[in-house]
Structures are given as C-alpha cells and as structure tokens.
Amino acid sequence: MSPLTHKIYINTLILIVLVTTAWLIYIGYDYYSMPLEERFYHPGHADLKPSGPYGHGLGIIGTLLILTGVFGYMARKRFRALSHLGSLKYWLEFHIFLCVLGPVMVLFHTSFKFGGIVSISFWSMVAVVASGVLGRFIYLQIPRTIQGRELSLGEIKDMMEGLGNSISESVQHVPLQTLKEEIIKNNLSAEKSLGFVQRYINEYKAKNKFKERLKAENISSPDIKTIMKLVSEELTIGRRVETLHTMQKYFRYWHVAHLPFCHYHACHHDYSRGGNHCFRIYLDFLKTDMESFIIYFITFFVSTLIIWVYVKKMKKLSDSNSKKIEKAKEEGAYEPVSLYPYIDEDNCIKSGACVIACPEKEIIGIRNGRATLINASRCIGHGACFHACPVEAIALKIGTEKRGVDLPHVSQNFETNVKGIFIAGELGGMGLIKNSVEQGKQAVENIFASVEKNHGATYDLVIIGAGPAGISASLQAKKLGLKAITLEQDTLGGTVYNFPRAKIVMTSPMDLPGYGKVKLFQTSKTELLKLWNAVLTSNDIKIQENQKVELIGKEDSNFSITTLRGDTFKTNRILLAIGRRGSPRKLNVDGEKLEKVYYKLLEPERYQGKDILVVGGGDSAIESALLLADENKVTLTYRSEKFNRLKPLNSQKINQAIDDKKILVLYSSNVLKIEEAQVVLQLDDLSEKTLKNDFVFIFAGGELPTQFLEKSGIQISKRFNYTMKSHK
C-alpha cells in the first residue's frame, strides 16, 4: 500500500466512525436525551429502545464488530499462515477501527441506560477502548516503516542523515545546516527536561524563527515549503529517537496491561451470553511462559476483584430490600391494591432501569439478582417501570390470585362486548392522570378507524366524562376531524375537580393532542384545571357540564343517549371516560342524610374553628384531615388498627400531625350514628364515644357504576391477576 493509498485508507476509517456517530446522534438525540419515564411517549420508542428492531440491531452489529476486531487481529498475530493477507500494521489499524465503532454502536443500543451486571460489561468495554487509544499514541511514537515494522536505531540515524542532506541540497547557496543548528537545535537543546506540551510549543516557535530567516535569505516560497516539511520530519524523528527507549518500555507495559482488559471484557461479555471464551483462556493459560503467566494472573486478579466488589454490593442491597419487604408485609403494604407491575424473573437482567424510573420510589427493588416488588400497595399505576425495562420483562396487572377486582370487559382496542361502546381511563382499570390521557387518545384513534360512513346519527362520537381521559379524547377527536360532543355529570375535570382546592396533584409529563408536551410532576388542582380550560378553549371545544347520562339505548348500528335533564344525543360511537367511583360508598348509618355530611372536600379554607370528623384511612381521608387540621379540631376515625397502603409522604405527615396532637386518630372505630351537634362512635372494646361535631367528611371509597354499565349491556366480571398491559 503506497503512502497516498494508506492515507486515504486511514481517513476513510476515521470518516466512517465520525459519520456513523453523527448519524446516530442526529436520528436519536431527542429520544436519548429524554428521562426514562418519558421515552415511551416518543414516536420512535418502539424502534430505538434496546429491545426494538433498531436498538437491538445496533447491539448485535456492535458486538460483532468488537469480536471481529479482537479475534481477527489476535489470529493475524498468532498464525503465520495469515501473513499473506496483509501487513500487521494495517490489521492493527482495522482492529482499532472496529473496536471504536463497535462500542459506539453498543452505547447507542443501550440508549444510555445501563445498570447491574450489564454495567460491568459496558465499563470494561470503555476501559478497553481507552487503553487502546493510549496504546495507539505510544505506538505512533516509535519510528516504523510504512508496513508497520519497528525501525532499528541505526536505520533511524540513516533516515535522519538522509533528511539533512535533502535539506542542504534543496537550496545549495545558503548554509542551511549551519542556520538550522543555530536557530532550532540551540533553541531546543536546553529544553529536554521540559514537559511534553512545552517542548511542542518551543519547537513551533523555533520553526517559525527558522522560516523567517529563510525569507530573509530571499528563498522562494516553494523552496521554503519544501525545506520546512523536511525540517519538521527531521525534528519529529529526532524527538522520537530521544524517547525511543522510554516509549518502547511504555509500549511493553501497556501491552501487559491492555491484554487483561481485553480478555476480561471478552470473558465477561461472553459469560453474559452463555459462551465459553473464559474456558479457552484457561486452555491457553496451561501453555504459557512466565511473562504470559503474569499477564493472565493480572487478568484473573482484576476480574475477581471487580466481581467480588460487585457481588458484595449487590448482596448488601439485596439484604436491605429483604428487610424492606418484611417491613412492608408487617405494615400491610406488600400486597397490591390496584394496578401494579408484574415482573417476569426469567427475563429480568437486573438493569435497574425500572427502579430508577419509578417516580414513587421503593415500589420496586433488586433482590437476589432480580427486580422484585417491595411496597406494591403504594403503586399508583405510573407505568414508568413498564416502559423503562430494556428487555420488556414487566407487565401491568390488576388484582392478585386471592383478591379480585371488578372490571368491565374491554378489548385491546378499548372496545367493550357491546360493539360501538368503548372504555378508557380509570373505569377500565388504568388510573393516574398520565395513563388516562394516553388511553383517551388511543381509544379515539381506534374509534376513528371504526366509525361507519353515512351512519345517519347526529354525532360520530359522544364522550361521556370530562376527566383526564375524556379531555384527551375530546382533543384527539377534534384533531382527527370527528364530529363529537363531551358530556360531564358534574364539572370539567371529573375526579380531579373533586380534589380539595389546595391538594397537590401527582402526575407525570404527558402529551395532550392539539397542544403538545406538558411537563408536570407536582402541581395544584387549580393549576391543572386552568391548563385544561386553556387547552380546550384554544381548540374551540366546549364541555356539556351537568349532563348526567341516565340511559344508553341501541338503535340499529347507532346509539341514543338520554340525560337526566331530558336531552337526547344520537351517535355512532360512545366512549365511556368516567371514573370507577360512580357514587361514593355510604356508611348506611342514622343521620347520614344530614346536610353537614359530605363525601368530598373542595374548599378547606371555608372551615375554621369547627369540630370535624373525617371517616376513612386512605390517602384522600388523610390529605383532607391534614388540610383541615390547622384551623379546626379534627378527629379521624378508621376501622382498622393501623393505616395501610398510604403514600410515603402522607404517612410521614399524618404521623407528624399525631405526634404534634393536631389530629386525634381513633383506630378500630366505626361511626354508629350522626346527629345535629354530635356523632357517636363505637371503639374497639365495643364501648361508645360521643364527640361534639359540626361537619362530617366521609371517604370510604366509591362504588363501580355497575347498574349503569349492565343496563347498557356491558359485561362486568371479577378479575384475578389480570394483565392490563403487556409488551406481547
């Protein structure tokens, strides 16, 4: 290979690496730069995720490039029969090319999220690449032929003498050698003790002085260019001669250090895929000399040390999570009560992505090398773990093997057993604002594809419910050009509207149709409702409030919807986006119909200096009691002996309020009757306790609107361990 061809070859390899890296960044930057819990909503998630066709392909190609680069170069060095396939120098350069491009592709395959045993493989790969770059620099400091053979000291001196003669012959009428020694060598002779960078700076300054003297001698520009090129080559060779023995020694040390890194990375990567590279290393070890023995000993020592530290760290984490699980069982927080992640332990690779992505924290942890549930009852259905898992080992389920949950029959496209009626949001089992918004949008996309042409009804779609799912569905229907109307039995916001005014709403970033990405994590009810009003107004959508649907009737392929106000709406398709709590659960005690009894707290600031009883032990009851406690005398009655399944922050706050005596909590108690000025409670010893009382707030949960659904023909059944969402 000629010098020009070799230069083109090297530049081509460099260009391939740079262009590939730039292309990978260009097509995936907005995805890779997103937080884990938001990536699912990126349009390219299905392809770019590690298990997607594009992401997985990068991992496979990157791994093949690394293995080809490592074992191809090793084979060329070991087997003389391959010597006719090209110079070892070119093989080394191609080895470097493959072992740089491969890790780049693997890095993008991971989508920049890695943990657990995967992280060891990744960082060992980084160490190999870094040591390779260092070795390449040392390699270049040792003078070689174009074929890569290391030159002897005698050959180097002959080359320097030839360059000196070439310089003198370039312009014979000027004593260049004397001039060069006067300016350059004298300037550099006293600088040998200087640092590496400073020597380059001084050399640059000396060459500039020499160039100025050449101009003063009236030498032509082409000759100056030729002379300066020859001088630069001579200085480079001279510098390398000065450091020849040092660099040869460094290169030897580097090779001893680089080989263990390569073997360890290949061994660990192969082990994670079930290969036998480590066994082959052992066979080679039996045939080693003393030097190789030292190399393999270093490999074994480094590998063992890293694995020992890693295993010790994982055992400590596993023991800690085991204690948390035992504590969760004692507190009744281990069993799930709503939507929760189901982890397939056979597929889990312990990347830890699910643990990192979970906004609630300590719902999932790593134990015995696998992800596991810790405080399942505190899960509120974010689903971030479902989207973050790189190997799709997580499904979202509702109900356990022992405890079932009543759910309407809904297909994968959100359609019920009644053709033309769809369900999205909390009613179908998917709570949380972000999930409801996503389902509302997806349901309308399916409805759009199913709406009949020339159906003859007034509307293509009637959306019942203006909560998160209903609002998202209304926006998506507008975007798709459907003729739709939205009916709400109360006021815009649905369940969110019934939150106390000062309640902090926990949500996640979401994509609202016709508006775009909304990044919310902790916001107030007022701010959330203000946002929704603004979005609906900007899209010219009006919600029909105080329109409670009483009856859904079938008319051929269309539907007739009748409200309590007597209004009738004809439509081809229906989307039920109502909550699971069709009506609040009653205590069924005397006095419950008094005007001082409420089932929701909207404006806590209206109550001051009152005796208030809060009934319930869930998050809604706790949050309402805390909001009322500052300005009122609050008593909280709960039928169980302790609080279960509270959000961590609520648990912390209620315990602090009890310690500060701001709230009186009566465990194992029940309301017997409610009177105008007092309430009567039954305590755990069956004795009665009478409390002065102005208001009663009951938070005993809600009842599924079973009667309404069954009257519409929708089937409801109790689901045990039912999969709501999976990757399959």
Side-chain angles (χ1 to χ4, degrees), residues 452-518:
E452 298 174 352
K453 294 182 179 179
N454 304 317
H455 51 70
T458 307
Y459 297 99
D460 296 321
L461 171 65
V462 169
I463 300 165
I464 301 175
I471 292 172
S472 174
S474 302
L475 292 166
Q476 185 68 4
K478 179 79 173 183
K479 180 179 178 181
L480 296 176
L482 290 173
K483 187 177 182 182
I485 187 171
T486 304
L487 309 178
E488 167 58 44
Q489 66 175 356
D490 290 320
T491 307
L492 171 69
T495 303
V496 175
Y497 176 78
N498 292 321
F499 289 164
R501 187 193 301 275
K503 176 181 171 69
I504 297 299
V505 180
M506 299 294 293
T507 183
S508 299
M510 51 192 171
D511 190 7
L512 289 175
Y515 186 82
K517 179 80 76 174
V518 178

Side-chain angles (χ1 to χ4, degrees), residues 15 68 191 231 235 263 270 335 381 458 465 483 543 587 628 680:
L15 186 63
T68 302
E191 307 294 342
V231 168
L235 288 172
H263 278 321
D270 207 48
E335 290 294 327
T458 307
K483 187 177 182 182
I543 305 297
L587 300 180
L628 292 165
V680 180

Side-chain angles (χ1 to χ4, degrees), residues 342-391:
Y342 172 80
I343 301 162
D344 183 352
E345 294 188 356
D346 292 333
N347 288 334
C348 177
I349 61 170
K350 196 179 55 176
S351 70
C354 55
V355 180
I356 298 170
C358 180
E360 294 298 310
K361 305 304 178 187
E362 296 199 346
I363 304 298
I364 301 178
I366 303 296
R367 185 178 70 159
N368 298 329
R370 294 291 183 271
T372 186
L373 291 175
I374 298 178
N375 293 292
S377 69
R378 294 177 180 173
C379 178
I380 61 175
H382 279 280
C385 56
F386 173 82
H387 305 308
C389 180
V391 293

Side-chain angles (χ1 to χ4, degrees), residues 415-445:
E415 191 170 20
T416 67
N417 59 287
V418 179
K419 181 176 174 56
I421 299 181
F422 295 72
I423 287 178
E426 187 184 9
L427 180 61
M430 290 294 286
L432 196 70
I433 294 172
K434 179 192 71 174
N435 291 335
S436 296
V437 167
E438 186 65 23
Q439 276 205 350
K441 181 173 67 173
Q442 292 174 348
V444 172
E445 288 173 352

